[in-house]
Amino acid sequence: MQPQRIVSGMRPTGPLHLGHYFGVLVNWIQLQKEYECFFFVADWHALTSEYAAPARIRGFVPELVLDWVAAGLDPAKCTIFLQSQIKEHAELQLLFSMFTPLGWLERNPTYKEVKGELEGSKDLSTHGFLGYPVLMASDILIYRPQLVPVGQDQLPHLELTREIARRFNFLYGPLFPEPQAKLTETQKLPGLDGRKMSKSYGNAVYLSESLEQVTPKVMSMLTDTNRMRKKDPGNPDHCNLFPYHLLITEEQERAEITAGCTQSSLGCVDCKKMLLQSLERFLAPIQERRKKLEARPDQIWEILSAGNRRAREQAVKTLALARGKLNLEYPELARSRGK
Ligand code: TRP
């Protein structure tokens, strides 16, 4: 039996942090073992909001692939490619845009939220930004997958993808599946200050960060604010550190931490030192792989080039079928070529 197919992408807007890792990337790394996976760098999508700084986006493209492969994506198991090199996505997006009602796009909660957040810093009253989910629908549907592993914030976009698939199938005949979201099962990792981990909040730990860079960040984290002195008992549920211990500290050590914190025998500084050790254990193999890859930068481009070829092969097939359904085939032209 053919394994089910999976498609997902990330925008190259900066280095990956632990929030990305535990939110989406662990999921991808697991899925590549069982599914036929297509993972891509969404450089066109990055331009929808960063259109004024295209050179920055270009720089983040190989960095993102480095982060992925260092973290455990294996180009022998999955297809890793670059969106802008598969021009078929853009043509399918054009076709979808003919029948996608503006109301669907304007009502999209993710659209409203992101636009609101960036208001003031960027003018996002653009065709491209409003059309973000139409391009995303095309990224996905062109590979006709069953599943799309994304974070919670992407669910409205995925709903629109299914609506576009349904509308296409209704207007022109069946072609597209209605892919479902595959959410990550691991617990979410908040930022160092307890808010959502984000580059713009300055509360992130990056996958490529050295222990020297991480140490001051961890040492200044807020713990249970009701625990003023070491002799006061603490509550791990009210501490910014504990979600990290939950994800990266071994169970036995974590039990010791919980006991030591609630019985006031372990101080917060020691708990932070234990977290730093866990972070070091977690980051070391990732950074080791990164160093090897960085020593041969061509490798990243070879991975992308091979992935592009495999992705294009599939995209071309779907696009030909979609063009056929829309009566965009002109065999007469092929016959009269050269006459
Ligand atoms: N919108 C996604 C994000 O910001 C990135 C993305 C673009 C994507 N196209 C996609 C994700 C297709 C999944 C499938 O994270």
Side-chain angles (χ1 to χ4, degrees):
M1 222 178 69
Q2 265 293 95
Q4 289 196 315
R5 187 177 281 183
I6 276 186
V7 176
S8 196
M10 279 188 210
R11 288 174 303 142
T13 51
L16 290 190
H17 52 58
L18 293 180
H20 297 121
Y21 181 87
F22 287 107
V24 181
L25 201 51
V26 260
N27 206 6
W28 288 15
I29 293 164
Q30 279 306 315
L31 294 167
Q32 67 179 343
K33 298 177 192 155
E34 288 175 50
Y35 296 88
E36 184 194 10
C37 293
F38 290 82
F39 297 126
F40 67 96
V41 181
D43 55 344
W44 276 335
H45 272 111
L47 286 177
T48 61
S49 55
E50 310 300 319
Y51 56 81
R56 284 190 61 221
I57 301 301
R58 170 67 170 76
F60 286 134
V61 168
E63 289 297 315
L64 185 58
V65 179
L66 256 172
D67 272 337
W68 285 354
V69 179
L73 271 196
D74 179 353
K77 295 202 180 90
C78 62
T79 296
I80 296 174
F81 70 97
L82 181 56
Q83 180 189 33
S84 65
Q85 302 308 299
I86 316 297
K87 301 200 174 55
E88 286 75 13
H89 290 216
E91 188 173 339
L92 189 61
Q93 187 238 16
L94 175 84
L95 300 182
F96 287 169
S97 76
M98 302 301 169
F99 61 80
T100 302
L102 272 179
W104 289 5
L105 303 176
E106 287 160 347
R107 272 198 305 274
N108 184 300
T110 304
Y111 167 73
K112 287 198 274 195
E113 204 176 294
V114 178
K115 188 158 183 276
E117 265 173 36
L118 299 178
E119 207 92 69
S121 63
K122 281 175 193 132
D123 180 4
L124 293 181
S125 304
T126 58
H127 178 192
F129 191 69
L130 182 66
Y132 187 110
V134 186
L135 180 57
M136 183 158 156
S138 136
D139 296 335
I140 297 169
L141 294 173
I142 204 156
Y143 301 101
R144 290 179 282 168
Q146 285 80 27
L147 296 168
V148 184
V150 284
Q152 200 89 33
D153 61 317
Q154 299 294 307
L155 294 182
H157 290 333
L158 208 56
E159 183 61 45
L160 250 158
T161 295
R162 288 190 291 270
E163 279 170 328
I164 288 173
R166 274 198 289 279
R167 195 158 163 85
F168 184 104
N169 293 343
F170 169 76
L171 289 168
Y172 313 114
L175 176 58
F176 295 110
E178 292 180 27
Q180 302 298 314
K182 189 143 178 66
L183 293 171
T184 313
E185 277 157 30
T186 46
Q187 196 146 348
K188 250 197 158 156
L189 186 69
L192 295 165
D193 57 0
R195 292 186 294 170
K196 181 183 160 126
M197 190 180 283
S198 157
K199 181 175 49 176
S200 50
Y201 292 158
N203 63 359
V205 175
Y206 295 95
L207 292 181
S208 49
E209 214 163 19
S210 70
L211 203 65
E212 291 74 56
Q213 291 167 297
V214 181
T215 302
K217 293 187 184 180
V218 168
M219 294 317 280
S220 60
M221 280 173 81
L222 273 189
T223 51
D224 179 357
T225 47
N226 286 323
R227 189 181 187 196
M228 303 296 277
R229 291 169 221 87
K230 183 176 167 186
K231 65 177 171 43
D232 302 331
N235 182 349
D237 293 338
H238 295 164
C239 176
N240 285 334
L241 253 64
F242 203 65
Y244 287 77
H245 281 305
L246 272 178
L247 282 173
I248 61 169
T249 300
E250 276 162 32
E251 211 175 321
Q252 197 195 330
E253 195 174 317
R254 198 165 60 236
E256 283 166 28
I257 289 171
T258 305
C261 176
T262 53
Q263 296 160 20
S264 19
S265 57
L266 177 75
C268 294
V269 171
D270 290 322
C271 183
K272 286 177 176 177
K273 287 184 182 155
M274 291 165 90
L275 178 58
L276 281 169
Q277 279 173 3
S278 300
L279 275 170
E280 188 175 18
R281 256 196 311 271
F282 172 80
L283 291 174
I286 296 178
Q287 298 187 351
E288 215 164 285
R289 270 197 297 266
R290 177 177 251 274
K291 215 176 274 161
K292 277 196 199 133
L293 288 160
E294 279 170 342
R296 261 201 57 209
D298 285 356
Q299 239 176 307
I300 291 299
W301 299 108
E302 284 159 16
I303 290 169
L304 278 176
S305 163
N308 288 345
R309 214 173 313 121
R310 284 205 296 271
R312 192 174 298 117
E313 206 177 288
Q314 299 303 318
V316 164
K317 280 189 210 163
T318 305
L319 187 66
L321 295 170
R323 290 179 62 117
K325 298 247 185 222
L326 275 123
N327 292 296
L328 290 168
E329 275 174 353
Y330 297 95
E332 301 89 331
L333 284 172
R335 277 200 298 277
S336 62
R337 195 182 296 143
K339 281 193 191 151

